[in-house]
Amino acid sequence: MTSPHDLAVGSRRHFMATSAMSLGSLAFSWMQQQEAWAAEQIKPPIGPQVFDTTPKIPTAPPRAKAMISLWMQGGPSHHDLFDPKPEMKKYDGKVFPGELKQDNAAQASSKVFASPWKFSPSGQCGMELSELLPHLQSVADDICLIRSMKTGVNNHGQSIRALQGGRITGGRPTLGSWMTYGLGSEADNLPAFVALIDPGQLPVLGVENWSNGWLPSIYQGTVIRPTEPRILDLTPPAHLKGLAQTKSLEYLEQLNSRHVGQFSDVSDLQARMASYELAAKMQMAATDALDLSQETEATKKMYGIDQKETTDYGSRCLIARRLIERGVRFVQVYTANQLWDSHGRITTLLPNACKKVDQPSAALVADLKQRGLLDETVVHWGGEMGRLPVVQNDAGPDKIGRDHNTYGFSMWVAGGGFREGYVHGKTDEWGHHAIEGVVNHFDYHATLLHLFGLEHDKLTFRRSDRDQTLTDGQPAQIVRELLKA
């Protein structure tokens, strides 16, 4: 029996006894951790994974089923469109009293630039909107205006990536890709994700705007051109139509199936086969969806297709509606490269940009509503940034503009469970920083996915031994104030 004297601190027996107990406890604890780690390890899938766009059941009952994003690349000026600051009139032309982060230092100035356009209450809700958006004023009671957006990166590319892909870094899947990965599509004869590009230049970052990133290729957006033929090589030449094409496609499918059997772990091969099958189905379905002659003259006039300034954008907004009617999950309609990037000549360029998109955008909301589709379709209108409250390019009244601002800007959403006739958030007295109800890009994404019945931190894709998500570990919150009761 061990005596108290033998266990005196510093004795050899005391050291051995206490160490044995401690080491035993450590060993037991280590074994428990190893067992827990082994149990929690994600086992690699047995056999090849199959990725497709068949409809998926969301984790919660969805309020939205489809989305049309009207992407205003370049940065619409919230000062002049959505966020009135009448007190700035007192300081117009005077030195701005605070600090500013200018993106273009060479043309920077510190002169306050109060908006030269008038705002007025619109709809029963009394939402204040600019005179540059008379058609949007007519649907004010249907939209949810967010005046407190923020990405915090004063650069087009990085802010586009934040809003389109969740982070400012490149190579990530875009929102449309995540939507189709998580939900699939109701249409088996049309693409799940469609990009309707402008007849001018592609937006900044080009094809990256509809990229699948590291998600399987089947979730990449499909481009529909603004002019005929809207989808290249969709219609076969006369000598290949009918039975000749059918036999050719059957033989191609046999070869592809054999090839995939040899390389079953390469998802790009599966995506390529799926694209061939979809292309064959689209020869009828896409031709029908893109045929605006089926629409009434009243509908085409509603979208402004009868006017030179709005015919292009109006046609693409109408096509977007026809696509989601047929089960397409996500459609993004782009404006031309830097259409809204008004560093100079803002008094000319901003009204022109508004003229191009205002009527078609408002018509889309009204048309979806009258067809009973707005309740389950999210419409988004916005770009990657707003503008600063001071003059840029101070070279005369007809040449001035505004520089970038990503610390507080505006966009609007409608339908799909968003509140109606509601203004959310607030910028400071200069419209520079969002100060109330701030909605970061990752909060916006979390809120969107919630409306589609998806949890932003549970919609994952395994890559490099890590579960990847759209919000990517950022402190995203669902902005419940934006949601209908």
Side-chain angles (χ1 to χ4, degrees):
M1 183 175 177
T2 306
S3 68
H5 175 73
D6 292 331
L7 291 179
V9 176
S11 72
R12 185 173 62 181
R13 287 187 178 182
H14 171 77
F15 172 78
M16 293 299 292
T18 55
S19 296
M21 288 187 289
S22 298
L23 291 171
S25 299
L26 286 171
F28 180 68
S29 175
W30 179 83
M31 289 173 65
Q32 283 185 314
Q33 290 177 350
Q34 291 297 302
E35 289 175 1
W37 178 80
E40 290 173 2
Q41 279 194 95
I42 297 176
K43 305 295 191 295
I46 300 173
Q49 286 184 280
V50 177
F51 299 100
D52 57 39
T53 58
T54 57
K56 311 294 190 299
I57 299 174
T59 54
R63 302 180 75 169
K65 294 182 180 179
M67 179 167 175
I68 299 172
S69 171
L70 307 179
W71 185 246
M72 305 291 143
Q73 196 272 303
S77 175
H78 60 293
H79 289 278
D80 303 299
L81 301 178
F82 303 113
D83 195 1
K85 301 292 180 184
E87 292 299 310
M88 283 178 60
K89 293 284 187 184
K90 300 176 184 177
Y91 303 93
D92 192 36
K94 298 179 181 178
V95 176
F96 182 77
E99 293 184 5
L100 292 167
K101 185 175 181 181
Q102 305 272 7
D103 193 54
N104 186 345
Q107 292 184 328
S109 89
S110 58
K111 288 184 180 179
V112 173
F113 181 15
S115 179
W117 291 284
K118 297 177 182 178
F119 284 74
S120 59
S122 305
Q124 294 183 353
C125 64
M127 183 183 295
E128 288 192 273
L129 295 170
S130 170
E131 62 182 315
L132 293 176
L133 301 171
H135 294 279
L136 186 65
Q137 290 177 353
S138 69
V139 294
D141 290 329
D142 298 309
I143 71 171
C144 176
L145 176 59
I146 306 171
R147 286 180 174 159
S148 52
M149 288 299 302
K150 178 183 177 183
T151 65
V153 281
N154 256 17
N155 177 278
H156 289 289
Q158 290 176 316
S159 200
I160 289 169
R161 286 170 177 149
L163 277 163
Q164 295 276 53
R167 284 280 190 184
I168 65 173
T169 50
R172 292 177 54 81
T174 52
L175 179 60
S177 295
W178 278 111
M179 288 274 196
T180 51
Y181 167 66
L183 295 170
S185 176
E186 299 295 330
D188 67 351
N189 54 5
L190 289 168
F193 173 15
V194 171
L196 293 169
I197 60 174
D198 191 270
Q201 291 178 309
L202 293 179
V204 168
L205 299 185
V207 298
E208 191 176 329
N209 283 275
W210 50 89
S211 170
N212 58 293
W214 28 254
L215 285 176
S217 302
I218 197 169
Y219 303 115
Q220 176 177 290
T222 296
V223 172
I224 292 182
R225 301 170 71 247
T227 56
E228 297 293 346
R230 291 189 181 272
I231 301 176
L232 293 174
D233 303 320
L234 183 64
T235 304
H239 69 282
L240 288 179
K241 285 185 177 180
L243 184 61
Q245 183 189 39
T246 301
K247 292 293 185 183
S248 176
L249 290 175
E250 286 176 353
Y251 180 60
L252 182 62
E253 184 179 5
Q254 292 175 13
L255 294 177
N256 283 335
S257 297
R258 189 184 310 164
H259 193 53
V260 167
Q262 297 172 351
F263 302 96
S264 58
D265 58 336
V266 182
S267 66
D268 282 354
L269 295 177
Q270 299 169 16
R272 201 170 304 152
M273 283 186 65
S275 70
Y276 289 146
E277 295 170 7
L278 178 61
K281 295 176 182 178
M282 283 173 61
Q283 287 181 353
M284 291 291 292
T287 301
D288 176 69
L290 302 176
D291 182 9
L292 299 186
S293 68
Q294 300 176 21
E295 297 288 336
T296 65
E297 291 303 314
T299 297
K300 287 187 278 189
K301 187 173 182 179
M302 179 183 184
Y303 281 84
I305 295 174
D306 60 332
Q307 302 173 48
K308 179 182 177 181
E309 297 89 349
T310 50
T311 184
D312 163 66
Y313 202 76
S315 296
R316 288 188 285 135
C317 284
L318 184 49
I319 288 171
R321 190 218 77 204
R322 291 175 64 84
L323 289 171
I324 65 101
E325 277 182 314
R326 289 159 172 76
V328 173
R329 183 71 66 187
F330 189 94
V331 181
Q332 195 153 45
V333 188
Y334 300 88
T335 54
N337 184 291
Q338 301 289 50
L339 178 72
W340 299 92
D341 194 28
S342 46
H343 290 280
R345 298 178 55 226
I346 192 171
T347 54
T348 299
L349 297 181
L350 186 60
N352 289 346
C354 291
K355 179 66 175 176
K356 177 184 176 76
V357 306
D358 178 43
Q359 181 176 349
S361 302
L364 178 62
V365 173
D367 197 14
L368 289 170
K369 184 177 180 179
Q370 72 181 6
R371 293 170 188 270
L373 294 170
L374 188 59
D375 284 344
E376 59 185 33
T377 305
V378 170
V379 179
H380 157 263
W381 191 106
E384 71 273 27
M385 58 179 62
R387 317 304 294 188
L388 286 178
V390 294
V391 168
Q392 183 181 16
N393 190 33
D394 190 12
D398 59 337
K399 295 182 180 180
I400 61 173
R402 297 185 189 272
D403 204 351
H404 306 164
N405 178 20
T406 61
Y407 300 98
F409 58 100
S410 301
M411 71 180 194
W412 61 260
V413 286
F418 281 108
R419 287 177 69 174
E420 301 160 338
Y422 171 65
V423 177
H424 177 84
K426 182 180 178 181
T427 54
D428 59 30
E429 66 270 32
W430 305 102
H432 187 200
H433 291 272
I435 57 172
E436 290 182 15
V438 178
V439 180
N440 296 288
H441 58 276
F442 44 81
D443 300 318
Y444 166 62
H445 290 151
T447 306
L448 264 182
L449 293 182
H450 171 76
L451 287 174
F452 280 85
L454 299 170
E455 297 177 70
H456 70 91
D457 54 350
K458 299 288 176 28
L459 179 62
T460 63
F461 182 80
R462 193 73 178 173
R463 175 177 177 263
S464 301
D465 294 324
R466 180 170 172 258
D467 284 336
Q468 304 277 355
T469 67
L470 172 60
T471 51
D472 195 34
Q474 297 167 99
Q477 300 290 326
I478 297 169
V479 187
R480 304 215 174 254
E481 295 90 340
L482 298 178
L483 310 180
K484 290 172 70 173

